[in-house]
Amino acid sequence: MAKILEETPRPTVKDRLDKTVEAVHGSQAWNSIFRPGSIFRKGYTDSPRNRSYVIMNSVIYHLHPVKVKRHAVKVSYTLCLGGLSFFLFILLTVTGIFLMFFYRPTDVQAWNDISNLQTSVTFGLLVRNMHRWGAHLMVLTVFLHMARVFYHGAYKPPREFNWVIGVILLTLTLLLSFTGYLLPWDQLALWAVTVGTNMMGYSPVIGSQVRFVLLGGKEIGGDTLLRWYVLHVLFFPFVIVIFMAIHFWRVRKDGGISGPL
Ligand code: HEM
């Protein structure tokens, strides 16, 4: 008995772990979910051409580049302002979904819902303030990110297309911020939107029509609130996500983050 034990030593913890990993990696479930290119399939025969296809077509592999230039990961170069803007957008999405559980966009309920949220909902005040301050901060970080890109000359070829996408992102960020401003339905919001839409009313040729469409009538009211709510929680977030995806894709395709001047 002693002899047999000697010949087959007990597997170490590492051996057992290796075996488990091997079994999981070899399993059908693992292969179907994580097999290279399984998200966007492009067949898979192991050739250099197909290996590149798999990397190019997989969202998961695309998120992290294989190589990053040294200066690009230096916080002192980008100040991480683009990344911070993106982080704030995610934070705003999560806190925004929380707020949606307690808010009804009608002129009778909106203000009361926000007031109740602050006083009677657990973490309501905290989450509302995270959403509000996050929104202000995102406008700031996007603007500073744009300034960083400008002062580094990173708008120059080959990145001029991404600069244009950036301008659209800035506009969308401002629109998200402005449409959200009306939702608490307090005096500040009402008058801000009255002033804003009056200004739009003075734009040439189609001014008054634009004002009418934005207000959902001749003056601010419940229809305006519903309209801006839908724009704020659905339309603009949807559009900005598409443009962000194009923006990140372009950063990669334009040869990664620009170098120092
Ligand atoms: C929602 C807003 C935005 C987000 C989330 C965002 C995100 C990012 C990220 C993560 C990067 C990688 C480098 C970095 O972090 O600096 C980047 C690069 C870049 N962004 Fe933005 N961005 C936004 C708005 C803008 C705006 C407003 C502009 C300009 C008008 C702009 C122009 C550019 C350009 C040209 C690059 C390439 C910079 C380089 O290679 O050094 N972006 N963006």
Side-chain angles (χ1 to χ4, degrees):
M1 185 65 180
K3 202 169 173 234
I4 293 169
L5 274 180
E6 237 171 45
E7 275 171 8
T8 51
R10 280 184 66 191
T12 61
V13 176
K14 185 179 173 300
D15 288 341
R16 270 185 281 164
L17 258 177
D18 284 351
K19 255 207 165 116
T20 317
V21 169
E22 214 179 284
V24 171
H25 279 205
S27 77
Q28 208 180 356
W30 177 275
N31 281 337
S32 69
I33 299 168
F34 296 108
R35 190 163 58 89
S38 67
I39 305 276
F40 290 108
R41 270 172 215 280
K42 159 73 192 78
Y44 184 60
T45 42
D46 196 3
S47 66
R49 189 185 169 80
N50 262 354
R51 279 204 295 271
S52 338
Y53 265 130
V54 165
I55 300 290
M56 282 190 288
N57 294 339
S58 162
V59 171
I60 303 276
Y61 283 142
H62 231 90
L63 292 181
H64 275 282
V66 183
K67 286 182 199 160
V68 179
K69 288 171 202 147
R70 199 174 281 274
H71 63 264
V73 280
K74 261 188 160 179
V75 178
S76 57
Y77 184 67
T78 60
L79 304 173
C80 203
L81 287 164
L84 270 175
S85 309
F86 184 57
F87 167 75
L88 285 168
F89 178 73
I90 302 288
L91 182 82
L92 288 164
T93 308
V94 174
T95 51
I97 291 172
F98 178 90
L99 297 180
M100 281 176 79
F101 283 114
F102 305 99
Y103 176 85
R104 287 163 293 178
T106 69
D107 46 358
V108 183
Q109 290 154 323
W111 193 84
N112 285 329
D113 282 352
I114 299 242
S115 171
N116 289 338
L117 169 84
Q118 298 196 152
T119 50
S120 323
V121 176
T122 316
F123 296 125
L125 180 62
L126 176 73
V127 178
R128 184 192 171 196
N129 275 325
M130 280 168 74
H131 196 77
R132 203 176 172 96
W133 285 102
H136 292 323
L137 218 70
M138 184 174 164
V139 173
L140 187 72
T141 55
V142 170
F143 185 77
L144 291 177
H145 167 61
M146 186 175 77
R148 192 289 290 174
V149 168
F150 181 76
Y151 286 116
H152 279 166
Y155 56 84
K156 293 178 191 168
R159 296 184 177 78
E160 69 275 43
F161 177 70
N162 217 10
W163 173 266
V164 176
I165 299 292
V167 173
I168 297 173
L169 282 174
L170 175 70
T171 313
L172 286 167
T173 308
L174 294 176
L175 284 170
L176 269 167
S177 173
F178 194 51
T179 47
Y181 205 74
L182 181 68
L183 305 187
W185 203 239
D186 51 12
Q187 286 294 315
L188 201 63
L190 242 86
W191 291 111
V193 170
T194 304
V195 172
T197 46
N198 275 347
M199 282 163 69
M200 287 174 213
Y202 284 108
S203 30
V205 191
I206 50 164
S208 55
Q209 281 88 343
V210 170
R211 188 170 176 277
F212 188 84
V213 169
L214 285 175
L215 290 179
K218 286 227 177 290
E219 56 183 34
I220 192 164
D223 294 338
T224 323
L225 184 58
L226 180 62
R227 216 157 262 214
W228 287 45
Y229 175 75
V230 175
L231 289 175
H232 184 73
V233 304
L234 212 78
F235 182 73
F236 289 132
F238 180 73
V239 177
I240 206 172
V241 163
I242 293 175
F243 278 96
M244 274 188 198
I246 300 175
H247 196 59
F248 299 155
W249 167 71
R250 274 323 305 181
V251 171
R252 294 284 303 276
K253 292 291 159 193
D254 294 337
I257 293 169
S258 62
L261 284 174

